[in-house]
Amino acid sequence: VLHRLGRTAEAAPHLRFASRELPKEPGVQYHLAAVEAALGNTAEAKAALRRALEQHGSFPERAAAMKLS
């Protein structure tokens, strides 16, 4: 939500924490990838996107994640 409101830098630590706590939650990883990319952290964004796509099953953002990979 913070990222969509233009508060990307504020969203980053929350998503990084969520990513550590929920490493197999693809939606969290996808949103972290979006935030890291917006902040210019390309390597971190790619890693989070890879973690999202490694999870089996669908998640709402899977199609968008696949376009970015």
Short mmCIF file of all heavy atoms in Angstrom, two decimals:
data_model
loop_
_atom_site.label_atom_id
_atom_site.label_comp_id
_atom_site.label_asym_id
_atom_site.label_seq_id
_atom_site.Cartn_x
_atom_site.Cartn_y
_atom_site.Cartn_z
N VAL A 1 0.84 -1.19 0.00
CA VAL A 1 0.00 0.00 0.00
C VAL A 1 0.88 1.25 0.00
O VAL A 1 0.62 2.17 -0.76
CB VAL A 1 -0.96 0.00 1.20
CG1 VAL A 1 -1.70 1.29 1.31
CG2 VAL A 1 -1.90 -1.18 1.11
N LEU A 2 1.90 1.28 0.84
CA LEU A 2 2.77 2.46 0.89
C LEU A 2 3.42 2.73 -0.47
O LEU A 2 3.50 3.88 -0.90
CB LEU A 2 3.84 2.29 1.97
CG LEU A 2 3.36 2.32 3.41
CD1 LEU A 2 4.49 1.92 4.35
CD2 LEU A 2 2.83 3.69 3.76
N HIS A 3 3.85 1.68 -1.12
CA HIS A 3 4.49 1.84 -2.44
C HIS A 3 3.50 2.46 -3.43
O HIS A 3 3.86 3.38 -4.16
CB HIS A 3 4.99 0.48 -2.93
CG HIS A 3 5.55 0.50 -4.31
ND1 HIS A 3 6.61 1.29 -4.68
CD2 HIS A 3 5.21 -0.20 -5.41
CE1 HIS A 3 6.89 1.08 -5.96
NE2 HIS A 3 6.05 0.19 -6.42
N ARG A 4 2.27 1.98 -3.43
CA ARG A 4 1.26 2.53 -4.35
C ARG A 4 0.93 3.97 -4.03
O ARG A 4 0.48 4.72 -4.89
CB ARG A 4 0.00 1.67 -4.31
CG ARG A 4 0.17 0.39 -5.09
CD ARG A 4 -1.13 -0.35 -5.19
NE ARG A 4 -0.94 -1.59 -4.47
CZ ARG A 4 -1.88 -2.27 -3.87
NH1 ARG A 4 -3.11 -1.84 -3.86
NH2 ARG A 4 -1.62 -3.39 -3.26
N LEU A 5 1.15 4.38 -2.80
CA LEU A 5 0.90 5.76 -2.40
C LEU A 5 2.11 6.66 -2.67
O LEU A 5 2.10 7.84 -2.32
CB LEU A 5 0.54 5.83 -0.91
CG LEU A 5 -0.77 5.18 -0.50
CD1 LEU A 5 -0.91 5.17 1.02
CD2 LEU A 5 -1.94 5.92 -1.14
N GLY A 6 3.15 6.08 -3.28
CA GLY A 6 4.34 6.85 -3.58
C GLY A 6 5.33 6.93 -2.44
O GLY A 6 6.27 7.70 -2.49
N ARG A 7 5.13 6.12 -1.42
CA ARG A 7 5.99 6.13 -0.24
C ARG A 7 6.88 4.88 -0.27
O ARG A 7 6.97 4.13 0.70
CB ARG A 7 5.13 6.21 1.01
CG ARG A 7 4.35 7.53 1.07
CD ARG A 7 3.22 7.54 2.03
NE ARG A 7 3.60 7.23 3.39
CZ ARG A 7 2.72 7.06 4.38
NH1 ARG A 7 1.43 7.21 4.15
NH2 ARG A 7 3.13 6.76 5.59
N THR A 8 7.57 4.70 -1.39
CA THR A 8 8.34 3.50 -1.65
C THR A 8 9.44 3.28 -0.62
O THR A 8 9.61 2.17 -0.12
CB THR A 8 8.92 3.55 -3.07
OG1 THR A 8 7.82 3.69 -3.99
CG2 THR A 8 9.69 2.31 -3.42
N ALA A 9 10.20 4.31 -0.32
CA ALA A 9 11.30 4.16 0.65
C ALA A 9 10.77 3.74 2.02
O ALA A 9 11.42 2.98 2.73
CB ALA A 9 12.09 5.45 0.76
N GLU A 10 9.60 4.20 2.36
CA GLU A 10 8.98 3.83 3.63
C GLU A 10 8.48 2.38 3.60
O GLU A 10 8.49 1.69 4.62
CB GLU A 10 7.82 4.77 3.92
CG GLU A 10 7.27 4.67 5.31
CD GLU A 10 6.16 5.68 5.56
OE1 GLU A 10 6.03 6.67 4.81
OE2 GLU A 10 5.42 5.47 6.53
N ALA A 11 8.06 1.92 2.44
CA ALA A 11 7.56 0.55 2.29
C ALA A 11 8.68 -0.49 2.37
O ALA A 11 8.46 -1.61 2.83
CB ALA A 11 6.82 0.40 0.97
N ALA A 12 9.86 -0.13 1.90
CA ALA A 12 10.96 -1.08 1.77
C ALA A 12 11.28 -1.86 3.05
O ALA A 12 11.33 -3.09 3.01
CB ALA A 12 12.20 -0.38 1.24
N PRO A 13 11.51 -1.22 4.19
CA PRO A 13 11.86 -2.01 5.37
C PRO A 13 10.74 -2.96 5.82
O PRO A 13 11.02 -4.06 6.30
CB PRO A 13 12.18 -0.98 6.46
CG PRO A 13 11.68 0.32 5.95
CD PRO A 13 11.56 0.22 4.47
N HIS A 14 9.52 -2.55 5.61
CA HIS A 14 8.40 -3.42 5.99
C HIS A 14 8.36 -4.67 5.09
O HIS A 14 8.15 -5.79 5.58
CB HIS A 14 7.07 -2.67 5.88
CG HIS A 14 6.98 -1.50 6.81
ND1 HIS A 14 6.84 -1.64 8.17
CD2 HIS A 14 7.03 -0.17 6.55
CE1 HIS A 14 6.80 -0.45 8.73
NE2 HIS A 14 6.92 0.46 7.77
N LEU A 15 8.57 -4.47 3.80
CA LEU A 15 8.57 -5.61 2.89
C LEU A 15 9.80 -6.49 3.07
O LEU A 15 9.72 -7.71 2.93
CB LEU A 15 8.44 -5.14 1.44
CG LEU A 15 7.02 -4.74 1.07
CD1 LEU A 15 7.00 -3.95 -0.23
CD2 LEU A 15 6.14 -5.98 0.95
N ARG A 16 10.92 -5.90 3.39
CA ARG A 16 12.12 -6.71 3.66
C ARG A 16 11.90 -7.59 4.89
O ARG A 16 12.27 -8.76 4.90
CB ARG A 16 13.33 -5.80 3.84
CG ARG A 16 13.77 -5.16 2.54
CD ARG A 16 14.90 -4.17 2.75
NE ARG A 16 15.19 -3.45 1.52
CZ ARG A 16 15.52 -2.17 1.48
NH1 ARG A 16 15.60 -1.46 2.59
NH2 ARG A 16 15.76 -1.60 0.31
N PHE A 17 11.29 -7.03 5.91
CA PHE A 17 10.97 -7.81 7.11
C PHE A 17 9.99 -8.93 6.76
O PHE A 17 10.20 -10.09 7.13
CB PHE A 17 10.37 -6.91 8.20
CG PHE A 17 9.92 -7.67 9.41
CD1 PHE A 17 10.84 -8.08 10.36
CD2 PHE A 17 8.59 -8.00 9.58
CE1 PHE A 17 10.43 -8.81 11.47
CE2 PHE A 17 8.17 -8.72 10.68
CZ PHE A 17 9.10 -9.13 11.64
N ALA A 18 8.94 -8.60 6.03
CA ALA A 18 7.95 -9.61 5.64
C ALA A 18 8.60 -10.69 4.79
O ALA A 18 8.28 -11.88 4.94
CB ALA A 18 6.80 -8.95 4.88
N SER A 19 9.52 -10.31 3.93
CA SER A 19 10.21 -11.28 3.08
C SER A 19 11.03 -12.27 3.91
O SER A 19 11.05 -13.46 3.61
CB SER A 19 11.12 -10.54 2.10
OG SER A 19 11.90 -11.44 1.35
N ARG A 20 11.68 -11.76 4.94
CA ARG A 20 12.46 -12.66 5.82
C ARG A 20 11.53 -13.58 6.60
O ARG A 20 11.84 -14.75 6.81
CB ARG A 20 13.32 -11.84 6.78
CG ARG A 20 14.51 -11.19 6.13
CD ARG A 20 15.47 -10.60 7.16
NE ARG A 20 14.85 -9.63 8.04
CZ ARG A 20 14.72 -8.33 7.78
NH1 ARG A 20 15.18 -7.84 6.64
NH2 ARG A 20 14.15 -7.51 8.65
N GLU A 21 10.42 -13.06 7.06
CA GLU A 21 9.48 -13.85 7.87
C GLU A 21 8.65 -14.82 7.03
O GLU A 21 8.22 -15.85 7.52
CB GLU A 21 8.55 -12.91 8.65
CG GLU A 21 9.25 -12.07 9.69
CD GLU A 21 9.87 -12.90 10.80
OE1 GLU A 21 9.17 -13.78 11.35
OE2 GLU A 21 11.07 -12.68 11.11
N LEU A 22 8.39 -14.45 5.78
CA LEU A 22 7.53 -15.25 4.89
C LEU A 22 8.26 -15.53 3.58
O LEU A 22 7.81 -15.12 2.51
CB LEU A 22 6.22 -14.51 4.62
CG LEU A 22 5.40 -14.13 5.85
CD1 LEU A 22 4.32 -13.13 5.50
CD2 LEU A 22 4.79 -15.40 6.46
N PRO A 23 9.39 -16.24 3.63
CA PRO A 23 10.20 -16.41 2.42
C PRO A 23 9.51 -17.21 1.31
O PRO A 23 9.92 -17.10 0.15
CB PRO A 23 11.45 -17.15 2.93
CG PRO A 23 10.99 -17.84 4.16
CD PRO A 23 9.95 -16.93 4.78
N LYS A 24 8.50 -17.96 1.64
CA LYS A 24 7.81 -18.76 0.63
C LYS A 24 6.48 -18.17 0.20
O LYS A 24 5.70 -18.81 -0.49
CB LYS A 24 7.63 -20.19 1.13
CG LYS A 24 8.96 -20.89 1.30
CD LYS A 24 8.80 -22.32 1.67
CE LYS A 24 10.19 -22.93 1.77
NZ LYS A 24 10.14 -24.36 1.95
N GLU A 25 6.23 -16.92 0.58
CA GLU A 25 5.00 -16.23 0.19
C GLU A 25 5.29 -15.43 -1.08
O GLU A 25 5.93 -14.37 -1.03
CB GLU A 25 4.53 -15.32 1.32
CG GLU A 25 3.32 -14.50 0.98
CD GLU A 25 2.14 -15.34 0.53
OE1 GLU A 25 1.81 -16.32 1.22
OE2 GLU A 25 1.57 -15.02 -0.52
N PRO A 26 4.85 -15.92 -2.24
CA PRO A 26 5.22 -15.27 -3.49
C PRO A 26 4.71 -13.85 -3.64
O PRO A 26 5.40 -13.01 -4.24
CB PRO A 26 4.63 -16.19 -4.57
CG PRO A 26 3.56 -16.95 -3.89
CD PRO A 26 3.99 -17.08 -2.46
N GLY A 27 3.57 -13.53 -3.09
CA GLY A 27 3.06 -12.17 -3.19
C GLY A 27 3.96 -11.17 -2.49
O GLY A 27 4.21 -10.08 -2.99
N VAL A 28 4.46 -11.56 -1.33
CA VAL A 28 5.39 -10.69 -0.58
C VAL A 28 6.66 -10.49 -1.40
O VAL A 28 7.16 -9.37 -1.53
CB VAL A 28 5.71 -11.29 0.81
CG1 VAL A 28 6.83 -10.53 1.48
CG2 VAL A 28 4.46 -11.29 1.68
N GLN A 29 7.18 -11.58 -1.96
CA GLN A 29 8.41 -11.49 -2.74
C GLN A 29 8.21 -10.62 -3.98
O GLN A 29 9.08 -9.82 -4.33
CB GLN A 29 8.88 -12.90 -3.14
CG GLN A 29 9.15 -13.82 -1.97
CD GLN A 29 10.13 -13.27 -0.96
OE1 GLN A 29 11.11 -12.62 -1.30
NE2 GLN A 29 9.87 -13.52 0.31
N TYR A 30 7.06 -10.75 -4.62
CA TYR A 30 6.78 -9.93 -5.80
C TYR A 30 6.74 -8.44 -5.44
O TYR A 30 7.33 -7.61 -6.12
CB TYR A 30 5.46 -10.36 -6.44
CG TYR A 30 5.03 -9.42 -7.54
CD1 TYR A 30 5.62 -9.48 -8.79
CD2 TYR A 30 4.08 -8.44 -7.30
CE1 TYR A 30 5.26 -8.59 -9.79
CE2 TYR A 30 3.71 -7.55 -8.30
CZ TYR A 30 4.31 -7.64 -9.54
OH TYR A 30 3.95 -6.74 -10.53
N HIS A 31 6.04 -8.11 -4.38
CA HIS A 31 5.94 -6.70 -3.99
C HIS A 31 7.29 -6.15 -3.53
O HIS A 31 7.62 -4.99 -3.80
CB HIS A 31 4.86 -6.50 -2.93
CG HIS A 31 3.49 -6.68 -3.50
ND1 HIS A 31 2.92 -5.77 -4.37
CD2 HIS A 31 2.58 -7.67 -3.35
CE1 HIS A 31 1.72 -6.19 -4.72
NE2 HIS A 31 1.50 -7.35 -4.13
N LEU A 32 8.08 -6.99 -2.88
CA LEU A 32 9.44 -6.57 -2.52
C LEU A 32 10.24 -6.30 -3.78
O LEU A 32 10.97 -5.31 -3.85
CB LEU A 32 10.13 -7.63 -1.66
CG LEU A 32 11.59 -7.33 -1.31
CD1 LEU A 32 11.72 -6.03 -0.52
CD2 LEU A 32 12.19 -8.50 -0.55
N ALA A 33 10.11 -7.16 -4.78
CA ALA A 33 10.82 -6.95 -6.04
C ALA A 33 10.44 -5.61 -6.67
O ALA A 33 11.30 -4.87 -7.15
CB ALA A 33 10.53 -8.09 -7.01
N ALA A 34 9.16 -5.29 -6.65
CA ALA A 34 8.71 -4.02 -7.22
C ALA A 34 9.31 -2.83 -6.47
O ALA A 34 9.75 -1.85 -7.09
CB ALA A 34 7.18 -3.94 -7.18
N VAL A 35 9.34 -2.91 -5.17
CA VAL A 35 9.89 -1.82 -4.35
C VAL A 35 11.40 -1.70 -4.57
O VAL A 35 11.92 -0.59 -4.77
CB VAL A 35 9.55 -2.03 -2.86
CG1 VAL A 35 10.39 -1.15 -1.96
CG2 VAL A 35 8.07 -1.74 -2.64
N GLU A 36 12.09 -2.82 -4.56
CA GLU A 36 13.55 -2.78 -4.76
C GLU A 36 13.87 -2.21 -6.15
O GLU A 36 14.78 -1.40 -6.28
CB GLU A 36 14.16 -4.17 -4.59
CG GLU A 36 14.08 -4.72 -3.19
CD GLU A 36 14.95 -4.02 -2.15
OE1 GLU A 36 15.50 -2.93 -2.40
OE2 GLU A 36 15.08 -4.58 -1.05
N ALA A 37 13.11 -2.61 -7.15
CA ALA A 37 13.33 -2.08 -8.50
C ALA A 37 13.10 -0.57 -8.54
O ALA A 37 13.89 0.17 -9.14
CB ALA A 37 12.43 -2.78 -9.50
N ALA A 38 12.04 -0.12 -7.89
CA ALA A 38 11.73 1.31 -7.87
C ALA A 38 12.83 2.11 -7.16
O ALA A 38 13.06 3.27 -7.50
CB ALA A 38 10.38 1.54 -7.19
N LEU A 39 13.50 1.48 -6.21
CA LEU A 39 14.57 2.14 -5.49
C LEU A 39 15.92 2.02 -6.20
O LEU A 39 16.93 2.53 -5.71
CB LEU A 39 14.68 1.57 -4.07
CG LEU A 39 13.49 1.88 -3.15
CD1 LEU A 39 13.64 1.13 -1.83
CD2 LEU A 39 13.36 3.38 -2.91
N GLY A 40 15.93 1.30 -7.34
CA GLY A 40 17.17 1.14 -8.09
C GLY A 40 18.03 -0.01 -7.62
O GLY A 40 19.18 -0.14 -8.05
N ASN A 41 17.50 -0.86 -6.77
CA ASN A 41 18.24 -2.00 -6.24
C ASN A 41 17.97 -3.22 -7.13
O ASN A 41 17.24 -4.13 -6.78
CB ASN A 41 17.83 -2.28 -4.80
CG ASN A 41 18.08 -1.10 -3.89
OD1 ASN A 41 19.02 -0.35 -4.10
ND2 ASN A 41 17.23 -0.92 -2.91
N THR A 42 18.60 -3.22 -8.31
CA THR A 42 18.30 -4.21 -9.33
C THR A 42 18.58 -5.63 -8.89
O THR A 42 17.76 -6.53 -9.11
CB THR A 42 19.09 -3.89 -10.62
OG1 THR A 42 18.81 -2.53 -10.99
CG2 THR A 42 18.70 -4.81 -11.75
N ALA A 43 19.72 -5.87 -8.28
CA ALA A 43 20.07 -7.24 -7.87
C ALA A 43 19.08 -7.77 -6.85
O ALA A 43 18.64 -8.92 -6.94
CB ALA A 43 21.49 -7.28 -7.31
N GLU A 44 18.72 -6.94 -5.88
CA GLU A 44 17.76 -7.35 -4.86
C GLU A 44 16.38 -7.60 -5.48
O GLU A 44 15.68 -8.54 -5.10
CB GLU A 44 17.65 -6.31 -3.75
CG GLU A 44 18.90 -6.19 -2.90
CD GLU A 44 19.95 -5.24 -3.47
OE1 GLU A 44 19.85 -4.84 -4.66
OE2 GLU A 44 20.89 -4.92 -2.74
N ALA A 45 16.01 -6.76 -6.44
CA ALA A 45 14.72 -6.94 -7.12
C ALA A 45 14.68 -8.26 -7.88
O ALA A 45 13.70 -9.00 -7.80
CB ALA A 45 14.46 -5.77 -8.07
N LYS A 46 15.75 -8.57 -8.59
CA LYS A 46 15.81 -9.83 -9.34
C LYS A 46 15.75 -11.03 -8.41
O LYS A 46 15.10 -12.03 -8.72
CB LYS A 46 17.06 -9.87 -10.21
CG LYS A 46 16.99 -8.95 -11.40
CD LYS A 46 18.26 -9.04 -12.23
CE LYS A 46 18.20 -8.10 -13.42
NZ LYS A 46 19.41 -8.18 -14.24
N ALA A 47 16.44 -10.95 -7.29
CA ALA A 47 16.44 -12.06 -6.34
C ALA A 47 15.04 -12.28 -5.77
O ALA A 47 14.58 -13.42 -5.66
CB ALA A 47 17.45 -11.80 -5.22
N ALA A 48 14.36 -11.22 -5.41
CA ALA A 48 13.01 -11.34 -4.87
C ALA A 48 12.04 -11.87 -5.93
O ALA A 48 11.19 -12.73 -5.63
CB ALA A 48 12.52 -10.00 -4.32
N LEU A 49 12.20 -11.42 -7.15
CA LEU A 49 11.35 -11.90 -8.24
C LEU A 49 11.59 -13.39 -8.48
O LEU A 49 10.65 -14.16 -8.65
CB LEU A 49 11.64 -11.10 -9.51
CG LEU A 49 10.72 -11.35 -10.68
CD1 LEU A 49 9.27 -11.00 -10.34
CD2 LEU A 49 11.18 -10.55 -11.88
N ARG A 50 12.84 -13.80 -8.43
CA ARG A 50 13.18 -15.22 -8.59
C ARG A 50 12.53 -16.05 -7.48
O ARG A 50 11.94 -17.10 -7.74
CB ARG A 50 14.69 -15.41 -8.60
CG ARG A 50 15.11 -16.85 -8.89
CD ARG A 50 16.62 -17.06 -8.81
NE ARG A 50 17.06 -16.92 -7.43
CZ ARG A 50 17.79 -15.91 -6.95
NH1 ARG A 50 18.17 -14.93 -7.74
NH2 ARG A 50 18.14 -15.86 -5.69
N ARG A 51 12.60 -15.56 -6.23
CA ARG A 51 11.97 -16.29 -5.12
C ARG A 51 10.46 -16.40 -5.32
O ARG A 51 9.87 -17.44 -5.03
CB ARG A 51 12.28 -15.60 -3.79
CG ARG A 51 13.71 -15.77 -3.33
CD ARG A 51 13.91 -15.31 -1.90
NE ARG A 51 13.57 -13.92 -1.67
CZ ARG A 51 14.41 -12.90 -1.82
NH1 ARG A 51 15.66 -13.11 -2.21
NH2 ARG A 51 14.02 -11.66 -1.57
N ALA A 52 9.84 -15.35 -5.82
CA ALA A 52 8.40 -15.39 -6.06
C ALA A 52 8.05 -16.45 -7.09
O ALA A 52 7.11 -17.23 -6.90
CB ALA A 52 7.90 -14.02 -6.54
N LEU A 53 8.81 -16.50 -8.16
CA LEU A 53 8.49 -17.43 -9.24
C LEU A 53 8.89 -18.87 -8.94
O LEU A 53 8.39 -19.80 -9.58
CB LEU A 53 9.13 -16.96 -10.55
CG LEU A 53 8.52 -15.67 -11.11
CD1 LEU A 53 9.34 -15.17 -12.28
CD2 LEU A 53 7.07 -15.89 -11.49
N GLU A 54 9.78 -19.07 -7.97
CA GLU A 54 10.18 -20.42 -7.58
C GLU A 54 9.07 -21.15 -6.82
O GLU A 54 9.09 -22.36 -6.74
CB GLU A 54 11.44 -20.39 -6.73
CG GLU A 54 12.70 -20.10 -7.50
CD GLU A 54 13.92 -19.93 -6.61
OE1 GLU A 54 13.77 -19.82 -5.37
OE2 GLU A 54 15.02 -19.88 -7.16
N GLN A 55 8.14 -20.39 -6.27
CA GLN A 55 7.05 -21.00 -5.50
C GLN A 55 6.04 -21.62 -6.45
O GLN A 55 5.69 -21.04 -7.47
CB GLN A 55 6.38 -19.97 -4.60
CG GLN A 55 7.32 -19.30 -3.64
CD GLN A 55 8.14 -20.28 -2.82
OE1 GLN A 55 7.61 -21.22 -2.26
NE2 GLN A 55 9.46 -20.07 -2.78
N HIS A 56 5.61 -22.81 -6.12
CA HIS A 56 4.63 -23.50 -6.96
C HIS A 56 3.24 -22.96 -6.66
O HIS A 56 2.97 -22.45 -5.58
CB HIS A 56 4.70 -25.01 -6.71
CG HIS A 56 6.03 -25.58 -7.07
ND1 HIS A 56 6.45 -25.71 -8.37
CD2 HIS A 56 7.05 -26.01 -6.30
CE1 HIS A 56 7.67 -26.21 -8.39
NE2 HIS A 56 8.07 -26.40 -7.15
N GLY A 57 2.40 -23.08 -7.62
CA GLY A 57 1.04 -22.59 -7.45
C GLY A 57 0.90 -21.18 -7.99
O GLY A 57 1.85 -20.54 -8.40
N SER A 58 -0.32 -20.74 -7.97
CA SER A 58 -0.57 -19.41 -8.51
C SER A 58 -0.67 -18.38 -7.39
O SER A 58 -0.90 -18.71 -6.24
CB SER A 58 -1.86 -19.41 -9.34
OG SER A 58 -2.95 -19.66 -8.50
N PHE A 59 -0.45 -17.16 -7.77
CA PHE A 59 -0.68 -16.02 -6.89
C PHE A 59 -1.11 -14.89 -7.81
O PHE A 59 -0.82 -14.91 -9.01
CB PHE A 59 0.56 -15.68 -6.04
CG PHE A 59 1.81 -15.34 -6.80
CD1 PHE A 59 2.20 -14.01 -6.97
CD2 PHE A 59 2.63 -16.33 -7.31
CE1 PHE A 59 3.36 -13.70 -7.65
CE2 PHE A 59 3.79 -16.02 -8.00
CZ PHE A 59 4.16 -14.70 -8.17
N PRO A 60 -1.84 -13.93 -7.30
CA PRO A 60 -2.45 -12.91 -8.16
C PRO A 60 -1.47 -12.19 -9.10
O PRO A 60 -1.84 -11.83 -10.20
CB PRO A 60 -3.09 -11.93 -7.19
CG PRO A 60 -3.35 -12.74 -5.96
CD PRO A 60 -2.22 -13.75 -5.90
N GLU A 61 -0.24 -12.04 -8.67
CA GLU A 61 0.72 -11.27 -9.45
C GLU A 61 1.61 -12.14 -10.34
O GLU A 61 2.54 -11.65 -10.95
CB GLU A 61 1.61 -10.44 -8.51
CG GLU A 61 0.87 -9.48 -7.63
CD GLU A 61 0.40 -10.10 -6.31
OE1 GLU A 61 0.58 -11.32 -6.09
OE2 GLU A 61 -0.18 -9.36 -5.50
N ARG A 62 1.33 -13.45 -10.43
CA ARG A 62 2.22 -14.36 -11.16
C ARG A 62 2.42 -13.91 -12.62
O ARG A 62 3.55 -13.89 -13.11
CB ARG A 62 1.72 -15.79 -11.13
CG ARG A 62 2.68 -16.74 -11.88
CD ARG A 62 2.33 -18.20 -11.73
NE ARG A 62 2.76 -18.77 -10.48
CZ ARG A 62 4.02 -19.11 -10.18
NH1 ARG A 62 4.99 -18.89 -11.03
NH2 ARG A 62 4.31 -19.66 -9.03
N ALA A 63 1.37 -13.59 -13.33
CA ALA A 63 1.50 -13.18 -14.73
C ALA A 63 2.39 -11.94 -14.86
O ALA A 63 3.27 -11.89 -15.73
CB ALA A 63 0.14 -12.91 -15.35
N ALA A 64 2.21 -10.97 -13.98
CA ALA A 64 3.04 -9.76 -14.02
C ALA A 64 4.49 -10.11 -13.69
O ALA A 64 5.42 -9.60 -14.32
CB ALA A 64 2.51 -8.73 -13.04
N ALA A 65 4.69 -11.01 -12.74
CA ALA A 65 6.05 -11.42 -12.35
C ALA A 65 6.73 -12.13 -13.51
O ALA A 65 7.92 -11.91 -13.77
CB ALA A 65 6.00 -12.32 -11.12
N MET A 66 6.01 -12.97 -14.22
CA MET A 66 6.60 -13.70 -15.34
C MET A 66 7.01 -12.75 -16.47
O MET A 66 8.01 -12.98 -17.13
CB MET A 66 5.64 -14.77 -15.82
CG MET A 66 5.49 -15.89 -14.79
SD MET A 66 4.42 -17.22 -15.33
CE MET A 66 5.51 -18.01 -16.51
N LYS A 67 6.26 -11.69 -16.67
CA LYS A 67 6.60 -10.70 -17.70
C LYS A 67 7.91 -9.99 -17.35
O LYS A 67 8.65 -9.57 -18.24
CB LYS A 67 5.49 -9.67 -17.86
CG LYS A 67 4.27 -10.22 -18.56
CD LYS A 67 3.22 -9.14 -18.70
CE LYS A 67 1.96 -9.70 -19.33
NZ LYS A 67 0.91 -8.68 -19.45
N LEU A 68 8.17 -9.84 -16.08
CA LEU A 68 9.38 -9.13 -15.64
C LEU A 68 10.61 -10.00 -15.63
O LEU A 68 11.72 -9.49 -15.63
CB LEU A 68 9.16 -8.55 -14.23
CG LEU A 68 8.10 -7.49 -14.09
CD1 LEU A 68 7.92 -7.12 -12.63
CD2 LEU A 68 8.44 -6.26 -14.92
N SER A 69 10.42 -11.30 -15.57
CA SER A 69 11.58 -12.20 -15.42
C SER A 69 12.33 -12.40 -16.72
O SER A 69 11.92 -12.06 -17.78
CB SER A 69 11.14 -13.54 -14.89
OG SER A 69 10.31 -14.21 -15.80
#
